[in-house]
Amino acid sequence: MIEDYKGILVIGEIYEGKIRPVTFQLITKARELADTLNTSLSTVLIGYNINDMAKEPIYYGADKVYVLDNKMFDPYIAEVYSAVLAKFIDQLKPEIVLIPATHTGREYGPRIAAALQTGMTADCTDLAIKNGRFIQIRPAYGGNIMGEIFTPNHRPQIATVRPNVFKARDPDTSRKGEIINSAPDLSGINIRTYIKDVVKTTVAGAKKIDEAKVIVSGGRGVGSKEGFELLKQLADLLGGAVGASRVAVDLGWMPKSAQVGQSGITVAPDLYIACGISGTIQHIVGMKDSKIIVAINKDPNAPIFNIADFGIVGDLNEVIPIFIDELKKVLNK
Amino acid sequence: MKILVLVKQVPDTSEVKFNENGVMIREGLQSILNMFDQFAVEEALRIREKYGGEVSVMTLAPEQAKSALQKCLALGADKAYHISDRAFGGSDTLATSYALSLAIKKVGDFDLIMAGNQATDGDTGHIGPQVAQFLGIPHVSYVEKIENVEGDKVLVKSLLEDGYRMIEVKLPALLACIPPPNFEYSNPSMMGIVKAKNKPYVWLKADDIDGDKSRFGLNGSPTRVMKMYPPPKRSRGEVFTGNYNEAVKKIIDVLKEKKVIS
């Protein structure tokens, strides 16, 4: 019976020993949904040696935090996470489950929905409650269409939600909640997946585009790998990350982990500065939800100007240094 | 090595046009083989070349999707399975994955199942993981390369947002594939196109796959699309030419005002 399913569950993601920021973004949004539905909000953390972090979700709005701590959960393996979480969800019976639409979330998440034979909506960019119904909003057809999806007769309703579409609230360390150490059900788990190596392609210390509030991104117009150094100076000044168009990645100027767009990463920072990027539809899909878009391009007819809040027609090698100088004045650096 | 690649025909969304109200015009969009799937097919053919075996392709779609399977055959795949029945109309990703998994069980034991990581129309990325779940086999998503096959194990490179993992997975397994930067897609040769016409092409109906029919099509789909609409449009803002200093100052003022910088 679908009435037996109550509350919202956010699956927390732990990455490199920390709770990933998207988790707090989802908890913040889920708190709002839970208040509208007058129901409770839980988070489940899965990993190894993670008890120290268990309080954090409470600061962002969780009422309860379930901790599934086991050596088997580090490193992350899709078949293990999906099996353990499916059993956990089947027992908890939440009406809504939110999963970060990270590469990992989009890998193990769909298996959970199949295991529970319920509906799932991928990569949502907004969530709402309308007439008591949980509405999942997502782009399709390369971002050319938005769809509103709901799950009338199956529970739980599961959604993966894109990072950075919701803002995490400021943590309130005085908030109280309950931490529950659950013994994960490991029965029947058959591990056939082995992690042999993990390689980072981001430059050590470089900001990640999927977590940055400011992104300075470059395309063909940057001209060379060395040309990105100028973009990095601007990004550093703004506390941001350096991104790239597909062309710049294909030419080997930037790593794949910096690629913004349909075949790369979708971003929605507060500020996106596109330098020497013409603005193919595949690129625009990946950044059009940024709050403020600034475009610098030599070609006055570049499509990027059609979606930019501010455009400068000109050579980025002349414009960016002026940007840097003016910013230094304003920031007193 | 018996390999099966799951493929989908999709509208070519890189050529989308809009009407005067900003609504995407879906009519007249060319149908193409999903690029992620084509990469999976080409990767499967590479593995066949290296280790021997057979590459089959499968789709669940109306009859018109035959051209997508024909393209796979023309590229070099050995055999095609086309599941097509009105009973599957309105399937969401769960119902599609369920039907595909039944068909896979029906037609044979595959060592390796591959698929595009996602299709460029729906972009869900659900089919690979869900088919694997229904078959009870492991899977890896975001696979950019199959490094090697050794005995009953395959070593793959799987992308993360900030790097990649080398993962060894025991066969049978499913790999959801994503083309690497710079991937150059092959075009079928004339010879390939001619040969494709004589390759086995198997049609499957709902009655041909054993399963719970209440889980097929719209009835077997938990999700419903309530409405579709064009995305909020961003409009063209202020575009400056010349006098960069003035332009930059103006932009910085707005960034300050909006508290993007402080």
Side-chain angles (χ1 to χ4, degrees), chain A residues 15 76 103 106-107 110-111 141 146 148 150 192 194 196-197 199 250 288 290 306 308-309 311 313, chain B residues 121-123 130 133 136-137 141 161-162 164-166 168 182 224 226-227 229 234 236-238 240:
Chain A
Y15 201 69
Y76 153 78
H103 281 206
R106 293 188 74 178
E107 182 176 51
R111 290 191 80 122
Y141 292 94
M146 300 302 293
E148 293 194 357
F150 81 114
R192 297 155 292 186
Y194 315 91
K196 293 294 183 185
D197 200 6
V199 179
D250 281 353
K288 67 178 169 47
S290 306
N306 295 332
D309 301 286
V313 180
Chain B
D121 55 352
D123 226 339
Q130 296 199 324
Q133 179 68 30
I137 61 174
S141 289
E161 286 89 342
D162 58 354
Y164 60 89
R165 306 203 296 172
M166 297 306 299
E168 190 176 81
N182 269 328
R224 291 284 180 277
M226 281 179 78
K227 64 172 179 179
Y229 51 91
R234 275 195 100 104
R236 188 182 173 94
E238 197 170 350
F240 303 91

Side-chain angles (χ1 to χ4, degrees), chain A residues 123-140:
Chain A
D123 204 24
C124 297
T125 54
D126 202 1
L127 303 168
I129 306 293
K130 287 184 193 167
N131 303 322
R133 263 183 187 163
F134 176 52
I135 309 297
Q136 301 151 85
I137 299 152
R138 69 181 304 270

Side-chain angles (χ1 to χ4, degrees), chain A residues 99-122:
Chain A
I99 300 174
T102 54
H103 281 206
T104 47
R106 293 188 74 178
E107 182 176 51
Y108 69 76
R111 290 191 80 122
I112 296 176
L116 300 175
Q117 289 186 36
T118 191
M120 177 164 211
T121 306

Side-chain angles (χ1 to χ4, degrees), chain A residues 234-245:
Chain A
L234 179 58
D236 285 348
L237 205 51
L238 291 162
V242 180
S245 72

Side-chain angles (χ1 to χ4, degrees), chain A residues 9-231:
Chain A
L9 175 70
V10 172
I11 298 184
E13 188 157 314
I14 291 159
Y15 201 69
E16 296 171 337
K18 278 193 297 206
I19 298 179
R20 228 171 173 175
V22 59
T23 306
F24 302 129
Q25 296 162 11
L26 297 200
I27 293 170
T28 303
K29 180 66 183 180
R31 180 74 260 166
E32 182 192 313
L33 301 174
D35 290 344
T36 308
L37 290 168
N38 196 19
T39 190
S40 68
L41 170 60
S42 304
T43 299
V44 59
L45 297 177
I46 176 167
Y48 183 48
N49 279 334
I50 55 172
N51 280 298
D52 296 353
M53 312 167 201
K55 292 188 299 265
E56 292 178 51
I58 296 168
Y59 303 158
Y60 291 85
D63 300 312
K64 284 182 188 173
V65 180
Y66 294 90
V67 181
L68 301 174
D69 196 296
N70 192 286
K71 204 171 173 185
M72 206 192 258
F73 303 152
D74 185 27
Y76 153 78
I77 291 173
E79 58 177 333
V80 174
Y81 273 48
S82 56
V84 169
L85 288 168
K87 282 182 191 164
F88 173 78
I89 292 166
D90 200 31
Q91 284 192 343
L92 187 72
K93 296 201 178 344
E95 57 191 301
I96 294 170
V97 178
L98 304 182
I99 300 174
T102 54
H103 281 206
T104 47
R106 293 188 74 178
E107 182 176 51
Y108 69 76
R111 290 191 80 122
I112 296 176
L116 300 175
Q117 289 186 36
T118 191
M120 177 164 211
T121 306
D123 204 24
C124 297
T125 54
D126 202 1
L127 303 168
I129 306 293
K130 287 184 193 167
N131 303 322
R133 263 183 187 163
F134 176 52
I135 309 297
Q136 301 151 85
I137 299 152
R138 69 181 304 270
Y141 292 94
N144 292 306
I145 279 188
M146 300 302 293
E148 293 194 357
I149 317 286
F150 81 114
T151 302
N153 303 315
H154 293 69
R155 294 293 179 271
Q157 308 159 85
I158 309 182
T160 55
V161 185
R162 195 178 283 186
N164 298 322
V165 296
F166 300 118
K167 241 192 163 64
R169 56 163 290 169
D170 291 328
D172 173 2
T173 51
S174 68
R175 248 191 124 258
K176 294 281 178 279
E178 193 183 348
I179 294 170
I180 301 149
N181 280 289
S182 297
D185 183 349
L186 303 174
S187 62
I189 290 183
N190 176 10
I191 301 182
R192 297 155 292 186
T193 315
Y194 315 91
I195 311 305
K196 293 294 183 185
D197 200 6
V198 181
V199 179
K200 299 285 165 183
T201 52
T202 43
V203 184
K207 278 221 169 200
K208 296 175 184 172
I209 57 167
D210 52 325
E211 291 175 7
K213 290 199 166 95
V214 175
I215 297 172
V216 181
S217 212
R220 190 188 293 275
V222 175
S224 66
K225 192 170 184 170
E226 294 68 38
F228 271 89
E229 195 46 44
L230 188 60
L231 276 62

Side-chain angles (χ1 to χ4, degrees), chain B residues 7-84:
Chain B
V7 304
K8 186 182 188 187
Q9 187 180 57
V10 297
D12 186 356
T13 45
S14 63
E15 301 293 333
V16 168
K17 292 192 173 62
F18 298 88
N19 70 15
E20 62 278 12
N21 300 319
V23 178
M24 177 179 141
I25 303 167
R26 279 201 261 185
E27 295 77 40
L29 275 182
Q30 222 191 329
S31 291
I32 56 168
L33 175 62
N34 175 36
M35 296 309 258
F36 289 81
D37 299 341
Q38 182 170 341
F39 167 65
V41 169
E42 293 195 34
E43 190 70 355
L45 295 172
R46 202 177 59 80
I47 294 300
R48 183 188 66 185
E49 196 165 310
K50 209 165 157 189
Y51 301 97
E54 192 182 73
V55 174
S56 300
V57 289
M58 178 183 278
T59 198
L60 184 151
E63 286 185 22
Q64 69 199 46
K66 188 174 180 185
S67 57
L69 286 182
Q70 289 286 3
K71 183 173 183 184
C72 299
L73 294 174
L75 285 167
D78 302 294
K79 188 171 183 179
Y81 295 97
H82 193 154
I83 312 159
S84 189

